Amino acid sequence: MRVVVAIDGPAAAGKSTVAKRVAEIKGYTYIDTGAMYRAFTWYCLQKGVDCQDEKACVALIPEVKIELKPGHVVLCNGIDVSTDIRQTNVSANVSYIASYKDIRLALVDLQRKMAESSSVIMDGRDIGTYVLPNADVKIYQIASVETRAVRRYEENLSKGIACTLEEIEDDVRKRDYIDSHREFSPLKPAPDSILLDTSFMSIEEVVNAVIEKIDNKIKEKNLG
Ligand code: DC
């Protein structure tokens, strides 16, 4: 049975860490949609295009090819950008890129194609509401801004990405605002999503909670 899982929620809520673990345990394909918006942003910055100039960014769509490869490798026009897309200059600009409808439509098209053939767990902001509205399980993962900022700060330090905690907290607040206030496909919980507040949960607890929801759903489907 093919299973489709959507995990949405605000920046740095731990969605990708959880989605990666669940994918490993269940043998599903993990699709990190944020990485795709980040790769597009990286390309705009490389080209010296102002990320707040919608027209100029949209004009780049035909020349950008984004691929997600095994091992969480992200390619942009064949270049491995997996590390570069986590840098602070990309984080600071990605919400502008993700607010442009034409860019979203192009990337959503790609995301839906990627989810066609196998069991998948996809994380992002609009997976349950827009990209995969028929997903079997929809999780909306949240945590306080302070918790999210500390988590992302520690993750960046471990990856050797230079930043300060204040910088990260500002970035998280700013992205939350832009992501949830944009006109097209904003960040919001799908009405049929399960809310998971992870502020006081360990990664293992969140992973187990998500797996339990998936297993319950599979049982329900098999019985029905
Ligand atoms: O999950 P992330 O922090 O890597 O996502 C980067 C940005 O991309 C985030 O600020 C919002 C945007 N995004 C989006 O708008 N829709 C998605 N499905 C995934 C990410």
Side-chain angles (χ1 to χ4, degrees):
M1 175 188 152
R2 197 171 84 86
V3 179
V4 175
V5 183
I7 303 193
D8 290 300
K15 302 181 297 293
S16 64
T17 308
V18 169
K20 269 183 211 164
R21 285 286 295 134
V22 173
E24 272 167 21
I25 294 167
K26 302 294 281 181
Y28 299 168
T29 302
Y30 166 55
I31 303 169
D32 177 357
T33 63
M36 299 166 78
Y37 291 98
R38 286 174 178 271
F40 201 107
T41 306
W42 174 87
Y43 188 75
C44 295
L45 294 171
Q46 279 297 108
K47 294 283 275 190
V49 169
D50 177 0
C51 291
Q52 295 192 50
D53 182 343
E54 177 169 0
K55 243 185 166 178
C57 294
V58 165
L60 298 179
I61 293 173
E63 59 188 87
V64 180
K65 185 178 178 213
I66 294 166
E67 295 166 277
L68 301 185
K69 296 285 185 190
H72 313 303
V73 171
V74 185
L75 299 183
C76 182
N77 293 347
I79 301 167
D80 184 346
V81 295
S82 318
T83 305
D84 287 357
I85 60 170
R86 306 290 162 196
Q87 300 292 341
T88 45
N89 60 339
V90 171
S91 298
N93 283 287
V94 64
S95 279
Y96 300 118
I97 297 300
S99 70
Y100 304 146
K101 185 175 178 182
D102 290 333
I103 293 176
R104 296 200 71 83
L105 290 176
L107 295 185
V108 166
D109 199 38
L110 201 57
Q111 290 155 14
R112 287 183 178 152
K113 285 198 179 98
M114 287 173 165
E116 257 167 18
S117 46
S118 59
S119 287
V120 294
I121 180 159
M122 187 182 280
D123 83 9
R125 303 293 187 284
D126 59 339
I127 311 306
T129 53
Y130 186 76
V131 182
L132 304 171
N134 298 321
D136 300 298
V137 178
K138 297 181 185 179
I139 307 286
Y140 195 78
Q141 192 172 323
I142 58 164
S144 68
V145 174
E146 293 76 16
T147 304
R148 290 187 281 134
V150 169
R151 283 180 187 164
R152 182 53 53 91
Y153 176 67
E154 287 173 352
E155 185 187 335
N156 280 3
L157 285 193
S158 74
K159 287 182 181 164
I161 297 170
C163 61
T164 65
L165 183 58
E166 292 69 34
E167 219 171 51
I168 298 286
E169 195 168 320
D170 282 354
D171 174 65
V172 163
R173 282 185 201 281
K174 185 178 135 201
R175 284 203 286 141
D176 281 357
Y177 184 85
I178 303 177
D179 294 344
S180 52
H181 286 81
R182 66 178 175 233
E183 215 170 289
F184 183 67
S185 209
L187 165 70
K188 64 172 182 215
D192 52 347
S193 62
I194 300 157
L195 181 74
L196 217 52
D197 185 342
T198 70
S199 299
F200 303 105
M201 287 171 88
S202 69
I203 290 167
E204 222 39 49
E205 284 171 330
V206 184
V207 168
N208 289 338
V210 173
I211 289 180
E212 193 191 323
K213 310 287 177 212
I214 295 172
D215 289 344
N216 286 344
K217 192 70 191 187
I218 293 172
K219 250 188 238 154
E220 221 176 82
K221 280 199 152 186
N222 284 341
L223 290 176

